[in-house]
Amino acid sequence: MTTDAPLVELLPNVKAFIGEKRKMLIDGKWVTAKSGEFFEVVNPATGEVIAHAPSGGKADVDAAVAAAKRAFESGPWGKITPAERGKIIWRIGDLIMKYQEELAQLEALDNGKPISVARAADVVLAAELFQYMAGWCTKLDGRVLNLSVPYTPGVEYHAYTRREPVGVVAQIIPWNFPLLMAAWKLGPALASGCTVVMKLAEETPLSGLKLAEIMQEAGVPDGAVNIITGFGETCGAPLAAHPDVAKVAFTGSTEVGKLIARAASNDLKKVTLELGGKSPNIILNDADLNIAIPSAANAIFFNHGQCCCAGSRLFIQEGVYDEVVAGIAEIARNMKVGPGLDPTTEMGPLVSQVQFDRVSGFLKSGIDQGASFAAGGARVGDKGYFVAPTVITNVREDMKVYQEEIFGPVVTATRFKDADDELLRMANDTIYGLGGGVYTRDISKAHKIAARIRTGTVWINTYNIFDASMPFGGFKQSGWGREMGVEVFNNYLETKSVCVGLG
Ligand code: NAP
Ligand code: MG
């Protein structure tokens, strides 16, 4: 089903923002790339160019890292009290809400996501993330240790740990949640006292550049956060390999994640990676289908399937298989597909021609390998990057659509007989381990299955619930480390032991 409501009228500020060539933020100044080059920013609903962003390269990376290094070593960020740091980070959250509509419009325009979702989810979650992290600034303390040194009898010691910022952090983010991924990374790095150079995704630089303005307005000192734009190979790669970067935090494809890990191995930078997924979502015969069917549909169709934790492999017990497939297929057929700026849109376009071609290739491989389609299977309309929400049946384990991350609104449905070891073998039979779900009314079965799904997050009778307090990240090739929660501080803090001989 396609939408036809009038598009949201762009705010004058948004028109002005996209109307002029954007600059990036280095050392508190708005600058163009040293090469003078720009790249085009495209509206995925139409394929039209809507803005221009600087094409940053190695020289810009060097300038940004130098600024972050100066800000770390001698700037005010490390010297102000944790409470003052917390207030600035809290203010970022307040200002995100002040500019909520502006940010939501930029997100819908640039990424293609429904403006209703951008307003209610992306922007609000980004604000809450900063405010959750603001609270941690005053609580990142060490411990007093009780030593029992056996080889210095009679001597007493006072020993304690300090938690210190790791230094200059490089952060590289993807295009699927441009504002929220920036928040997930910037919030804890700043709360830890690190300074940052962030490279935005080339497909979606707009909301991150607006966030950079917000950070200045909130009082983040010059150089503490530098936000640059450019391409992966020419801007991301030199950033990830820069000798003055102490730590790299990356979200994106597993393939690029491996490149980052290799580049970082030269000087053993700390690395955290949040990568791809092929998450199993299990519906048992005794599930409440009024919950399970819409939730499983949301698990795959939310953000057009462009979620690293999308519930893309559905396992349905045979007693409810037909009803569940029919229910999700009906939701898919009735979803309103249209431009992000249409307020009635439930699913927007894929982010780019590249992703459109990639997902279309997977659909073709499904057809070639003998899969059936209970819904979707093709593009919607003839302009923009719209793909119909798709439910694939007759799935075999050797099919590409079952094996590989599609990163589009495409779910495979597999029937199983018993909730036994074989089910868990199938669920876990992937190189990934990011998310997973199980639906059942039997709480003991639910917890037993949750414990055996080898992923960083398992949802029970729900899916795609994210919260700043809940750690998120991957087992296996879905990544290293966790974002959010208190766990995220392991990424940005070093522990130092201090030992004092008291005689
Ligand atoms: P990607 O290539 O991994 O891009 C993610 C970020 O890394 C972007 O900022 C990108 O720059 C940058 N990058 C690319 N190559 C780099 C390099 N050699 N060194 C340093 N940085 C580099 O992901 P994508 O091309 O956007 O999407 C491809 C696939 O990745 C998707 O189909 C999906 O499977 C997966 N993906 C996963 C997530 C997730 O949340 N886990 C998010 C997005 C995509 P550019 O802006 O120039 O690309
Ligand atoms: Mg775009």
Side-chain angles (χ1 to χ4, degrees):
M1 191 187 280
T2 51
T3 59
D4 53 8
L7 301 188
V8 168
E9 174 73 23
L10 290 182
L11 294 170
N13 280 352
V14 171
K15 283 186 192 156
F17 193 85
I18 60 176
E20 61 189 53
K21 289 192 168 166
R22 298 312 320 159
K23 292 183 173 169
M24 46 193 185
L25 182 65
I26 296 179
D27 207 10
K29 294 173 197 65
W30 290 94
V31 296
T32 53
K34 288 193 194 301
S35 67
E37 286 171 20
F38 290 85
F39 61 85
E40 294 177 338
V41 182
V42 169
N43 174 356
T46 59
E48 285 159 11
V49 176
I50 45 166
H52 292 84
S55 188
K58 185 171 180 312
D60 306 291
V61 166
D62 288 346
V65 173
K69 189 177 177 196
R70 269 194 310 276
F72 184 73
E73 288 175 353
S74 49
W77 194 242
K79 297 197 182 79
I80 62 176
T81 65
E84 286 174 282
R85 222 164 52 222
K87 281 179 200 155
I88 291 173
I89 298 172
W90 184 276
R91 204 145 59 225
I92 297 170
D94 278 348
L95 289 171
I96 287 175
M97 291 312 292
K98 176 177 163 195
Y99 296 111
Q100 180 179 21
E101 181 62 14
E102 211 166 316
L103 286 162
Q105 291 192 1
L106 289 172
E107 211 71 323
L109 199 56
D110 193 3
N111 166 278
K113 66 179 66 203
I115 188 149
S116 57
V117 174
R119 283 175 185 143
D122 297 70
V123 178
V124 177
L125 286 174
E128 287 187 354
L129 189 290
F130 279 105
Q131 295 187 330
Y132 172 88
M133 294 300 164
W136 274 111
C137 292
T138 48
K139 297 162 195 74
L140 298 171
D141 40 26
R143 294 185 294 134
V144 174
L145 311 171
N146 293 321
L147 304 194
S148 322
V149 184
Y151 49 84
T152 54
V155 181
E156 288 181 41
Y157 299 92
H158 170 55
Y160 59 96
T161 59
R162 291 168 49 83
R163 304 201 72 196
E164 298 181 2
V166 69
V168 174
V169 175
Q171 303 189 318
I172 299 177
I173 60 166
W175 42 259
N176 53 345
F177 293 89
L179 178 68
L180 191 56
M181 290 303 101
W184 279 22
K185 292 217 181 324
L186 288 166
L190 287 175
S192 304
C194 294
T195 61
V196 180
V197 178
M198 170 172 278
K199 189 198 89 68
L200 305 173
E202 165 259 325
E203 286 90 344
T204 54
L206 298 181
S207 59
L209 291 175
K210 177 67 200 170
L211 178 63
E213 285 185 7
I214 287 174
M215 298 193 120
Q216 276 195 309
E217 187 176 342
V220 175
D222 292 354
V225 172
N226 305 273
I227 307 262
I228 60 176
T229 52
F231 293 88
E233 291 79 9
T234 46
C235 188
L239 176 59
H242 199 291
D244 289 333
V245 163
K247 187 238 148 61
V248 185
F250 170 81
T251 298
S253 60
T254 295
E255 192 189 344
V256 175
K258 288 177 184 175
L259 293 177
I260 303 267
R262 270 186 217 117
S265 72
N266 287 332
D267 52 2
L268 296 181
K269 295 184 201 316
K270 316 286 179 229
V271 177
T272 45
L273 303 169
E274 206 261 275
L275 308 175
K278 190 72 177 170
S279 300
N281 203 9
I282 299 169
I283 301 182
L284 302 185
N285 282 339
D286 63 2
D288 179 344
L289 297 190
N290 291 322
I291 292 173
I293 290 173
S295 178
N298 169 63
I300 183 64
F301 299 138
F302 176 63
N303 213 42
H304 330 160
Q306 300 172 139
C307 291
C308 41
C309 56
S312 52
R313 285 183 304 140
L314 202 48
F315 296 97
I316 310 164
Q317 202 162 8
E318 59 184 10
V320 293
Y321 178 88
D322 290 337
E323 192 179 343
V324 169
V325 168
I328 296 176
E330 193 188 341
I331 291 173
R333 279 191 295 271
N334 289 327
M335 275 190 102
K336 290 191 179 159
V337 179
L341 283 176
D342 180 330
T344 65
T345 289
E346 292 168 337
M347 204 174 87
L350 299 183
V351 75
S352 64
Q353 181 75 49
V354 172
Q355 284 303 112
F356 177 82
D357 292 343
R358 196 182 134 87
V359 173
S360 302
F362 274 109
L363 295 177
K364 181 171 180 314
S365 84
I367 296 166
D368 293 346
Q369 290 188 297
S372 305
F373 292 80
R379 80 178 298 172
V380 177
D382 53 11
K383 77 168 184 184
Y385 313 131
F386 297 94
V387 170
T390 298
V391 181
I392 298 185
T393 56
N394 277 334
V395 179
R396 291 191 318 271
E397 285 191 47
D398 65 327
M399 287 179 177
K400 259 169 71 90
V401 287
Y402 178 85
Q403 291 283 341
E404 295 179 30
E405 182 180 45
I406 298 176
F407 227 65
V410 182
V411 68
T412 61
T414 299
R415 187 194 305 260
F416 68 90
K417 194 164 180 298
D418 298 308
D420 57 7
D421 288 352
E422 171 58 8
L423 170 66
L424 283 147
R425 182 201 64 76
M426 286 196 298
N428 289 325
D429 184 22
T430 160
I431 60 167
Y432 298 113
L434 198 54
V438 56
Y439 300 81
T440 172
R441 287 190 172 94
D442 181 332
I443 56 163
S444 91
K445 225 189 274 174
H447 289 294
K448 282 181 180 168
I449 291 175
R452 292 187 62 192
I453 296 178
R454 303 274 303 150
T455 60
T457 300
V458 177
W459 287 284
I460 297 174
N461 295 332
T462 189
Y463 207 95
N464 274 342
I465 298 301
F466 304 96
D467 188 273
S469 69
M470 196 161 74
F472 182 84
F475 284 28
K476 300 194 273 183
Q477 292 191 35
S478 288
W480 291 346
R482 292 292 176 272
E483 311 238 43
M484 301 196 289
V486 63
E487 282 77 3
V488 73
F489 291 105
N490 296 331
N491 304 350
Y492 296 108
L493 293 171
E494 295 276 22
T495 298
K496 175 184 283 177
S497 292
V498 180
C499 180
V500 189
L502 298 177

